Amino acid sequence: MCGTCSGDTAGNAPAAANPTTNNAPPSTSTNNSVYPAQGGPKSSPYQSIQDYLSNVNKFKIIESTLREGEQFANAFFDTETKIKIAKALPVSSPQSYEDCKTICKLGLKAKILTHVRCNMEDAKKAVECGVDGVDLVIGTSSFLREYSHGKSMAIIQETALKVIEYVKSQGVEVRFSSEDSFRSDLVDILHLYKACDKAGVDRVGVADTVGGATPRMVYDLIRTLRGVVSCDIETHFHDDTGCAVANAHSALEAGATHIDTSVLGIGERNGITPLGALMARMIVTAPDYVKSKYNLKSLKSLEELVADAVQINIPFNSPVTGYCAGIHAKAILANPSTYEIIDPHDFGLTRYISINSRITGWNAIKSRVEQLGLSMTDAQVKEVTAKIKQMADIRPLAIDDTDSIIRSYHLDLQEVAQG
Amino acid sequence: MCGTCSGDTAGNAPAAANPTTNNAPPSTSTNNSVYPAQGGPKSSPYQSIQDYLSNVNKFKIIESTLREGEQFANAFFDTETKIKIAKALPVSSPQSYEDCKTICKLGLKAKILTHVRCNMEDAKKAVECGVDGVDLVIGTSSFLREYSHGKSMAIIQETALKVIEYVKSQGVEVRFSSEDSFRSDLVDILHLYKACDKAGVDRVGVADTVGGATPRMVYDLIRTLRGVVSCDIETHFHDDTGCAVANAHSALEAGATHIDTSVLGIGERNGITPLGALMARMIVTAPDYVKSKYNLKSLKSLEELVADAVQINIPFNSPVTGYCAGIHAKAILANPSTYEIIDPHDFGLTRYISINSRITGWNAIKSRVEQLGLSMTDAQVKEVTAKIKQMADIRPLAIDDTDSIIRSYHLDLQEVAQG
């Protein structure tokens, strides 16, 4: 059994905060119609006009670090770590089952969901844990049906409807997801989702289990599904082909309501949509919504906690939290928005501008001179910049080296002035 | 001056191998019409039908590790390293200029391009280096025009046309690119690109300099541009919001011909479309084209070379080359394509399946038992799997630990049999 709990990220309103909006059929979602561009520079085209089905301005997150994340190669979460990460847990071993019960008792500001195979036995164990919701999952592609569980679509549907009815009867929220949705027969899965929707499922899930979907495929499938079911739509994207963040954005544009994430994207193989990267994407698309709803300042420490738990380094290229710098120092110093679309301060971080590269401009050096409290004319700054570039051609310079060159040059200037 | 060289990746046919196809106006590209799905599992929907403008089956790469990559915080490439990485170099310092000339003389199986600001002085220096092509770049958004160079669109166009004429007169290929294209006025840049196209530019470039574009924005802009110019279209995507790979794919679908990449995506801030991730994306979309054109087996060592040069770790979640594993061992052992859309062997790598996790299935253990040359019944494998899971609940297990448990169990079995 590989069931797990997950919940909305801490600090989130619970998923059902406004169930009527999310469960309303698309045609009645008029409160959604054409979002004006909000916040940020008014002329930025990055906050495009959305149509009435788009949810980029009101998406929800299913945080799956302790479900999907435990499928990551290095993951070994003990009870203490799980409680620390504090969201969810698997039922795949006796200890996992106990952990799930423990976390459900924590009273976190998040819904706790379990993730189980779509059968009655697993569903019962999940409900016993006292979770807020049960996520049922089953492979629907011919690949998975043939090689993994061997069930026909008719049997899948029959089982799904029974389990949905049971979970609902226990007063617990229920989601039904197909696995490997993008390699499943379109008519098959639409048929199945429609039946689950009729049976009163709270949410249907679409999963790119092998990570091969493109944003256009995602848009097409989700928009089609949006016209077939009236319940919420959850999406789950693996990152095998580097499209997990873009696919999530595309899904929201098409009318999906929920995105699965994990901290740093940890999960099976190279993982799923990373929470931090999705926040970076969505703060550009919908800045007001993201800033009002998420505690972005805790992102960096959350990533550090998880990176430490699974013994990985935060990738140098992680949006926002990765190791960042730029040569466009002139423009950034004049107006950060010229080359930076995300303000690091929104994430509790400071801007770092490398001034040690050979391609450093004198404006960056001028700024550093001022930071050091020294006084130089522009001509002098240009001269010391040339010295720094010359040195940088010979060996890499640390920030201290640059400062030394600047200070040494400034000292020479004073001596010349005094001499 | 921040000019640089870059070329098609080693092993590539030069960009101009079939210039008539690439320079033909869209309406005459009939040799392009509706690609059939090629290679791979026939039923995979990931190789979708493309329309006649799509270039996903015949894209070209502008490898920019030594141009964009030098803008990366840690980058310090000495001549030897540049020659090792062997593609390009900047003209932003005297040494860069010398390096460019050196690399041009190497006779690599790639075109060497320089990347310079769009003015006559820079263009002349670039041509002096003996490069195959010159990439001209200038910021066209109101942000960059106001805070970076302060030029009007009329002056930009006038300068661009003069420089294009000069470079062409020297028998050198020329590209003109706007910077921050997605925050530029659409009519302004279409007007500018059209004039450059008429002036005989070989390629126009679209750049998401701040990394805020989404796949749908990219598709719309490139498709519009495809109808305006008949020359090649190059695209450059920063990864600030995690969409650089998906945006590149979207650009090709819309008719772009060239994608800028760097090894591991190193570049300004958190970088651009990574070469490896793009290969992972495109081998799924167009397997035959990618396998026939690129030497994928050298990707891992190329990444290691560059990671070493800039002192970073290869991110754990890099597609293909990152640290990967999965729990879906049962299905993978039966048929890898059920959960793996990319065959690691295409990249000269082997498949790694973690069997130490608490959520390991007995099929994975059975496979390991066979690899160890031991003989057990299914019931026995299930029993030892339970032991391994039990141990994994207490502490993380290394592969050696798992093997020890299996061997110890097997020894016990033999003793029981003999006793």
Side-chain angles (χ1 to χ4, degrees), chain B residues 262-277:
Chain B
S262 70
V263 177
L264 292 168
I266 61 166
E268 195 193 347
R269 302 185 309 282
N270 77 330
I272 62 167
T273 308
L275 176 63

PDB file of all heavy atoms in Angstrom, chain B residues 262-277:
ATOM      1  N   SER B 262      22.598  26.410 -22.732  1.00  0.00           N
ATOM      2  CA  SER B 262      23.953  26.304 -22.196  1.00  0.00           C
ATOM      3  C   SER B 262      23.992  25.010 -21.406  1.00  0.00           C
ATOM      4  O   SER B 262      22.953  24.468 -21.022  1.00  0.00           O
ATOM      5  CB  SER B 262      24.308  27.508 -21.317  1.00  0.00           C
ATOM      6  OG  SER B 262      23.580  27.478 -20.121  1.00  0.00           O
ATOM      7  N   VAL B 263      25.199  24.502 -21.215  1.00  0.00           N
ATOM      8  CA  VAL B 263      25.341  23.260 -20.469  1.00  0.00           C
ATOM      9  C   VAL B 263      24.874  23.509 -19.030  1.00  0.00           C
ATOM     10  O   VAL B 263      25.306  24.480 -18.396  1.00  0.00           O
ATOM     11  CB  VAL B 263      26.805  22.774 -20.500  1.00  0.00           C
ATOM     12  CG1 VAL B 263      26.967  21.516 -19.648  1.00  0.00           C
ATOM     13  CG2 VAL B 263      27.233  22.493 -21.943  1.00  0.00           C
ATOM     14  N   LEU B 264      23.968  22.687 -18.546  1.00  0.00           N
ATOM     15  CA  LEU B 264      23.340  22.833 -17.224  1.00  0.00           C
ATOM     16  C   LEU B 264      22.554  24.128 -17.084  1.00  0.00           C
ATOM     17  O   LEU B 264      22.117  24.484 -15.992  1.00  0.00           O
ATOM     18  CB  LEU B 264      24.383  22.720 -16.101  1.00  0.00           C
ATOM     19  CG  LEU B 264      24.996  21.330 -15.933  1.00  0.00           C
ATOM     20  CD1 LEU B 264      26.211  21.393 -15.016  1.00  0.00           C
ATOM     21  CD2 LEU B 264      23.968  20.341 -15.394  1.00  0.00           C
ATOM     22  N   GLY B 265      22.393  24.836 -18.197  1.00  0.00           N
ATOM     23  CA  GLY B 265      21.617  26.081 -18.168  1.00  0.00           C
ATOM     24  C   GLY B 265      22.351  27.252 -17.548  1.00  0.00           C
ATOM     25  O   GLY B 265      21.744  28.306 -17.326  1.00  0.00           O
ATOM     26  N   ILE B 266      23.641  27.125 -17.278  1.00  0.00           N
ATOM     27  CA  ILE B 266      24.316  28.219 -16.567  1.00  0.00           C
ATOM     28  C   ILE B 266      24.225  29.514 -17.355  1.00  0.00           C
ATOM     29  O   ILE B 266      24.353  29.539 -18.576  1.00  0.00           O
ATOM     30  CB  ILE B 266      25.789  27.907 -16.220  1.00  0.00           C
ATOM     31  CG1 ILE B 266      26.639  27.662 -17.469  1.00  0.00           C
ATOM     32  CG2 ILE B 266      25.879  26.741 -15.260  1.00  0.00           C
ATOM     33  CD1 ILE B 266      28.132  27.695 -17.175  1.00  0.00           C
ATOM     34  N   GLY B 267      23.973  30.595 -16.634  1.00  0.00           N
ATOM     35  CA  GLY B 267      23.828  31.898 -17.255  1.00  0.00           C
ATOM     36  C   GLY B 267      23.452  32.920 -16.215  1.00  0.00           C
ATOM     37  O   GLY B 267      23.523  32.655 -15.016  1.00  0.00           O
ATOM     38  N   GLU B 268      23.031  34.056 -16.701  1.00  0.00           N
ATOM     39  CA  GLU B 268      22.685  35.135 -15.792  1.00  0.00           C
ATOM     40  C   GLU B 268      21.595  34.679 -14.820  1.00  0.00           C
ATOM     41  O   GLU B 268      20.669  33.974 -15.207  1.00  0.00           O
ATOM     42  CB  GLU B 268      22.189  36.324 -16.610  1.00  0.00           C
ATOM     43  CG  GLU B 268      22.148  37.607 -15.826  1.00  0.00           C
ATOM     44  CD  GLU B 268      21.373  38.666 -16.567  1.00  0.00           C
ATOM     45  OE1 GLU B 268      21.098  38.474 -17.765  1.00  0.00           O
ATOM     46  OE2 GLU B 268      21.029  39.674 -15.948  1.00  0.00           O
ATOM     47  N   ARG B 269      21.689  35.112 -13.583  1.00  0.00           N
ATOM     48  CA  ARG B 269      20.777  34.698 -12.509  1.00  0.00           C
ATOM     49  C   ARG B 269      20.712  33.153 -12.451  1.00  0.00           C
ATOM     50  O   ARG B 269      21.753  32.530 -12.341  1.00  0.00           O
ATOM     51  CB  ARG B 269      19.398  35.349 -12.697  1.00  0.00           C
ATOM     52  CG  ARG B 269      19.503  36.896 -12.713  1.00  0.00           C
ATOM     53  CD  ARG B 269      18.147  37.558 -12.765  1.00  0.00           C
ATOM     54  NE  ARG B 269      17.292  37.058 -13.823  1.00  0.00           N
ATOM     55  CZ  ARG B 269      17.405  37.402 -15.114  1.00  0.00           C
ATOM     56  NH1 ARG B 269      18.321  38.269 -15.499  1.00  0.00           N
ATOM     57  NH2 ARG B 269      16.599  36.892 -16.014  1.00  0.00           N
ATOM     58  N   ASN B 270      19.522  32.569 -12.552  1.00  0.00           N
ATOM     59  CA  ASN B 270      19.506  31.098 -12.478  1.00  0.00           C
ATOM     60  C   ASN B 270      19.599  30.449 -13.851  1.00  0.00           C
ATOM     61  O   ASN B 270      19.403  29.254 -13.993  1.00  0.00           O
ATOM     62  CB  ASN B 270      18.281  30.588 -11.679  1.00  0.00           C
ATOM     63  CG  ASN B 270      17.000  30.647 -12.471  1.00  0.00           C
ATOM     64  OD1 ASN B 270      16.852  31.508 -13.325  1.00  0.00           O
ATOM     65  ND2 ASN B 270      16.082  29.749 -12.196  1.00  0.00           N
ATOM     66  N   GLY B 271      19.909  31.234 -14.883  1.00  0.00           N
ATOM     67  CA  GLY B 271      20.286  30.655 -16.158  1.00  0.00           C
ATOM     68  C   GLY B 271      19.198  30.543 -17.215  1.00  0.00           C
ATOM     69  O   GLY B 271      18.125  31.147 -17.090  1.00  0.00           O
ATOM     70  N   ILE B 272      19.511  29.773 -18.250  1.00  0.00           N
ATOM     71  CA  ILE B 272      18.634  29.647 -19.427  1.00  0.00           C
ATOM     72  C   ILE B 272      18.259  28.170 -19.649  1.00  0.00           C
ATOM     73  O   ILE B 272      18.538  27.333 -18.793  1.00  0.00           O
ATOM     74  CB  ILE B 272      19.307  30.220 -20.689  1.00  0.00           C
ATOM     75  CG1 ILE B 272      20.592  29.443 -21.038  1.00  0.00           C
ATOM     76  CG2 ILE B 272      19.642  31.707 -20.501  1.00  0.00           C
ATOM     77  CD1 ILE B 272      21.144  29.755 -22.436  1.00  0.00           C
ATOM     78  N   THR B 273      17.643  27.873 -20.773  1.00  0.00           N
ATOM     79  CA  THR B 273      17.275  26.498 -21.123  1.00  0.00           C
ATOM     80  C   THR B 273      18.514  25.602 -21.050  1.00  0.00           C
ATOM     81  O   THR B 273      19.466  25.809 -21.792  1.00  0.00           O
ATOM     82  CB  THR B 273      16.724  26.446 -22.567  1.00  0.00           C
ATOM     83  OG1 THR B 273      15.690  27.418 -22.712  1.00  0.00           O
ATOM     84  CG2 THR B 273      16.197  25.059 -22.889  1.00  0.00           C
ATOM     85  N   PRO B 274      18.513  24.593 -20.186  1.00  0.00           N
ATOM     86  CA  PRO B 274      19.683  23.708 -20.126  1.00  0.00           C
ATOM     87  C   PRO B 274      19.707  22.747 -21.323  1.00  0.00           C
ATOM     88  O   PRO B 274      18.666  22.207 -21.697  1.00  0.00           O
ATOM     89  CB  PRO B 274      19.486  22.924 -18.823  1.00  0.00           C
ATOM     90  CG  PRO B 274      18.376  23.615 -18.075  1.00  0.00           C
ATOM     91  CD  PRO B 274      17.530  24.279 -19.130  1.00  0.00           C
ATOM     92  N   LEU B 275      20.901  22.561 -21.883  1.00  0.00           N
ATOM     93  CA  LEU B 275      21.055  21.663 -23.026  1.00  0.00           C
ATOM     94  C   LEU B 275      20.499  20.266 -22.720  1.00  0.00           C
ATOM     95  O   LEU B 275      19.741  19.699 -23.519  1.00  0.00           O
ATOM     96  CB  LEU B 275      22.544  21.566 -23.389  1.00  0.00           C
ATOM     97  CG  LEU B 275      22.918  20.593 -24.504  1.00  0.00           C
ATOM     98  CD1 LEU B 275      22.294  20.998 -25.831  1.00  0.00           C
ATOM     99  CD2 LEU B 275      24.442  20.504 -24.649  1.00  0.00           C
ATOM    100  N   GLY B 276      20.863  19.715 -21.572  1.00  0.00           N
ATOM    101  CA  GLY B 276      20.449  18.355 -21.222  1.00  0.00           C
ATOM    102  C   GLY B 276      18.947  18.212 -21.065  1.00  0.00           C
ATOM    103  O   GLY B 276      18.340  17.254 -21.550  1.00  0.00           O
ATOM    104  N   ALA B 277      18.328  19.179 -20.394  1.00  0.00           N
ATOM    105  CA  ALA B 277      16.882  19.123 -20.187  1.00  0.00           C
ATOM    106  C   ALA B 277      16.163  19.270 -21.526  1.00  0.00           C
ATOM    107  O   ALA B 277      15.141  18.612 -21.771  1.00  0.00           O
ATOM    108  CB  ALA B 277      16.439  20.220 -19.227  1.00  0.00           C
TER     109      ALA B 277
END
